[in-house]
Amino acid sequence: MIITSDIDLALREQTALIAEGQVFILTDENTRRHCLPIVQQTLQLPEDRILTVAAGEEHKNLQTVELIWQFLVDRGATRHSMLINLGGGVITDMGGFAAATYMRGMQFLNIPTTLLGMVDAAAGGKTGFDFAGMKNQIGLFRMPKETIIHTEFLRTLDPHHILSGFGEMLKHALISSPLELMAISAFDIEQYINRPNDELQTEFEELISRSIDIKNYIVESDPEETGMRQTLNFGHTVGHALEAYALQAGEPLLHGYAVVYGMIAELYLSHLKLGFPERDLQQVISLMKQFYGKYTCPCKSYDQLISLMQHDKKNPSQDQIAFTLLRTVGNYRLGCVCTPEEIKEALDALFNC
């Protein structure tokens, strides 16, 4: 992974050995407008080698993946070509999957343009798309040739997308150590969003680098999620269910927000099942509520949410819902099976907190 303020040099180095006419770019409507011009200053690709797809989680589906495949076929891409995925997590997930399966695998380069993409989606080699109303049901593990982090792209984001990525940074801190949680809790994210300055930018870039290091250490220790990597799923069992529920209701929820709400519920389960300290529980929930507000969901939808959780990839079977829970900050336990009654109690705590 390359973290740089000189994206020109990084792009030249990563594309130097690719044959002329064999580099392609995948963007969405947002990154085409805000980020593509920066990349094009270096690459200067003709328009017919750039594919722009609709933005948003609702378009992370097989139909969009087919568009990418057809785009590559129509332009004579080979196994020796390169696809540059320029965008947030939706783009890097789908583009990575399309490239990894095209002609049994072509090279791809990830350039995440959102905070969420930088600290989560573009790292770790997970690729895929949503299917049958559920998150990331189809996918595979495939590492990109490289991931380029250009923090200047953060200046193109609105507050909600900054907070979405910050939610995953909170997760990394919670599964890592009290020291990491203290560092991220002390950062003035509100001032960074509303009144940024060079000092805050430098401090935030350091936190981003530390968050990426946490994920990379875990991924390198367990690349195919057979053990330790499951800690990265903290907050995601409930979070993915909320995300799918919101998408089905036609009111999409940003991934980082869903994960934060999922962590609130799963911290409650951690307290209930493993004795996660009450004081720490209240402090973390207070921090999360301060920036992410309250999410509402009627009790009559609990069974629908639990049904969505039953289809989670991490479950040992469809009639058992498993969670990664915390004994204390940085002290995790994998595969904690919870009953529907316990989950409903946690959902009550989430929606009424």
Side-chain angles (χ1 to χ4, degrees), residues 14-69:
Q14 295 303 314
T15 60
L17 300 180
I18 308 299
E20 185 176 350
Q22 290 300 306
V23 175
F24 305 91
I25 297 178
L26 174 66
T27 70
D28 66 22
E29 299 154 324
N30 296 325
T31 51
R32 180 182 182 87
R33 182 167 61 253
H34 297 294
C35 305
L36 180 62
I38 296 172
V39 171
Q40 278 289 69
Q41 288 176 14
T42 300
L43 297 180
Q44 298 180 0
L45 298 187
E47 186 63 32
D48 70 346
R49 281 196 269 142
I50 302 167
L51 174 63
T52 301
V53 298
E57 185 76 26
E58 61 269 33
H59 301 292
K60 187 181 179 183
N61 53 39
L62 178 58
Q63 290 72 29
T64 306
V65 173
E66 287 178 341
L67 281 178
I68 302 169
W69 284 329

Side-chain angles (χ1 to χ4, degrees), residues 113-132:
T113 58
T114 65
L115 180 56
L116 181 66
M118 292 176 188
V119 300
D120 183 50
K126 283 186 177 181
T127 72
F129 58 92
D130 302 343
F131 187 73

Side-chain angles (χ1 to χ4, degrees), residues 230-290:
Q230 293 175 41
T231 59
L232 295 170
N233 295 321
F234 177 62
H236 282 61
T237 301
V238 174
H240 276 168
L242 290 172
E243 204 171 352
Y245 171 83
L247 196 61
Q248 291 171 11
E251 300 176 351
L253 184 63
L254 288 174
H255 176 73
Y257 278 71
V259 169
V260 165
Y261 301 137
M263 286 192 290
I264 292 173
E266 292 180 27
L267 281 170
Y268 182 83
L269 286 173
S270 297
H271 175 67
L272 185 69
K273 303 278 284 187
L274 303 179
F276 186 87
E278 172 77 23
R279 180 181 175 184
D280 292 346
L281 175 71
Q282 296 305 325
Q283 285 181 341
V284 174
I285 288 177
S286 177
L287 174 68
M288 292 176 172
K289 283 176 62 181
Q290 179 183 351

Side-chain angles (χ1 to χ4, degrees), residues 20-180:
E20 185 176 350
Q22 290 300 306
V23 175
F24 305 91
I25 297 178
L26 174 66
T27 70
D28 66 22
E29 299 154 324
N30 296 325
T31 51
R32 180 182 182 87
R33 182 167 61 253
H34 297 294
C35 305
L36 180 62
I38 296 172
V39 171
Q40 278 289 69
Q41 288 176 14
T42 300
L43 297 180
Q44 298 180 0
L45 298 187
E47 186 63 32
D48 70 346
R49 281 196 269 142
I50 302 167
L51 174 63
T52 301
V53 298
E57 185 76 26
E58 61 269 33
H59 301 292
K60 187 181 179 183
N61 53 39
L62 178 58
Q63 290 72 29
T64 306
V65 173
E66 287 178 341
L67 281 178
I68 302 169
W69 284 329
Q70 192 64 55
F71 167 81
L72 295 171
V73 168
D74 292 345
R75 283 148 186 81
T78 74
R79 295 177 68 180
H80 306 290
S81 303
M82 173 182 282
L83 180 64
I84 298 176
N85 300 314
L86 180 68
V90 171
I91 289 295
T92 56
D93 278 5
M94 280 196 305
F97 179 85
T101 50
Y102 180 76
M103 291 190 174
R104 296 198 176 101
M106 64 181 284
Q107 296 181 84
F108 64 98
L109 180 71
N110 285 339
I111 307 180
T113 58
T114 65
L115 180 56
L116 181 66
M118 292 176 188
V119 300
D120 183 50
K126 283 186 177 181
T127 72
F129 58 92
D130 302 343
F131 187 73
M134 287 167 285
K135 286 275 295 180
N136 302 322
Q137 284 292 294
I138 310 296
L140 47 79
F141 292 97
R142 183 65 59 87
M143 296 297 291
K145 180 178 185 292
E146 190 55 270
T147 298
I148 299 175
I149 304 293
H150 183 55
T151 52
E152 286 300 306
F153 286 144
L154 294 176
R155 301 182 190 275
T156 69
L157 301 178
D158 62 36
H160 291 300
H161 282 85
I162 291 287
L163 285 172
S164 181
F166 195 68
E168 283 284 356
M169 294 173 69
L170 282 168
K171 180 202 74 178
H172 289 161
L174 276 165
I175 64 175
S176 177
S177 70
L179 182 64
E180 292 296 336

